Amino acid sequence: MSCAGVFSRGPARMKVLLVEPSVKHIAPNIALMKWATWCDRNRHRYRYVCGNVVPDFVPDEICISLIFSYFSRQYEKTIRHYRALYPKAVIRVGGAFPTLNRSWFADRFDKVVVHEGLCAEIEDLPLKYSIAPANRKLVMYASRGCVNKCGYCMVSKLEGKMRPFPTIAEHIRHGLAEIPGATSIVLYDNNFTAHAHFDRICDELESFGLPV
């Protein structure tokens, strides 16, 4: 399912709020960093915030990335916080939790737009690490999807079949350009050992000399 047009387009440039709920995470959300790049390229103003805060501008649209179901109570508080602050803004949610639990949102909120699956419009965009200056980790995928379809796992529903990338060197170089003092690389692959280019990816990781 493509989400082309996930943010309204038009002659007037938008103000977009990128919200990361205040839950445990390794680094800034990958999807939100891609949406920051998308906003830049489309000349929209944006702010990235973590948790329930009061931003310094009134957004037209609010994008919230939601991953794990066991954070659902915190997710609900976050959505209600920003709905109360900005009742006219369009709130859009995406990620693993909305993909698997569309009815959860329909039962609790009148006007929250749920996106299911990956978003083709941002999937190949580079990450804008500068939205979170304190972060020192490079985060990325060397593959999407998985060769398996385990009944307890949402990967096949969210990402589909295994799609191994032949190289990640450019992603690493991009990250190092934005974070010259990066301390490590974090791979979010779902089944890295099934990667068709496993040896090559490992060689690339070793060549950059960072802990993985």
Side-chain angles (χ1 to χ4, degrees), residues 13-68:
R13 296 187 181 95
M14 292 187 302
K15 289 179 286 186
V16 180
L17 186 64
L18 306 174
V19 177
E20 181 143 13
S22 184
V23 297
K24 184 178 181 180
H25 54 271
I26 296 173
N29 182 274
I30 284 181
L32 295 181
M33 288 192 280
K34 290 181 178 181
W35 277 121
T37 299
W38 183 91
C39 288
D40 267 349
R41 293 187 176 185
N42 289 277
R43 304 181 69 184
H44 299 307
R45 290 181 59 198
Y46 70 90
R47 293 286 187 278
Y48 165 81
V49 297
C50 188
N52 299 348
V53 300
V54 181
D56 60 355
F57 77 153
V58 178
D60 301 303
E61 303 211 11
I62 302 170
C63 180
I64 308 176
S65 183
L66 312 173
I67 302 176
F68 298 112

Side-chain angles (χ1 to χ4, degrees), residues 75-191:
Y75 293 159
E76 181 172 3
K77 291 179 180 178
T78 298
I79 294 171
R80 293 195 185 282
H81 170 80
Y82 288 104
R83 169 57 71 223
L85 282 179
Y86 309 114
K88 295 182 179 180
V90 176
I91 295 181
R92 303 187 187 274
V93 297
F97 181 56
T99 295
L100 297 178
N101 297 277
R102 174 180 285 272
S103 61
W104 185 90
F105 296 88
D107 291 343
R108 288 163 175 79
F109 307 104
D110 292 332
K111 296 180 180 180
V112 170
V113 181
V114 176
H115 171 71
E116 297 177 6
L118 300 181
C119 177
E121 191 166 6
I122 65 165
E123 180 62 16
D124 296 327
L125 293 181
L127 279 60
K128 195 167 189 66
Y129 286 99
S130 58
I131 64 173
N135 171 58
R136 312 315 298 167
K137 293 181 173 65
L138 305 183
V139 292
M140 61 194 68
Y141 289 93
S143 65
R144 284 292 217 176
C146 183
V147 295
N148 302 312
K149 292 185 178 179
C150 301
Y152 57 81
C153 181
M154 49 65 60
V155 170
S156 62
K157 298 180 179 66
L158 180 69
E159 300 184 14
K161 296 179 180 179
M162 184 82 167
R163 291 179 289 114
F165 307 148
T167 177
I168 59 171
E170 190 56 39
H171 295 296
I172 298 174
R173 282 191 285 268
H174 166 78
L176 289 173
E178 291 216 359
I179 310 177
T183 58
S184 62
I185 297 172
V186 179
L187 291 181
Y188 284 153
D189 292 53
N190 300 293
N191 194 346

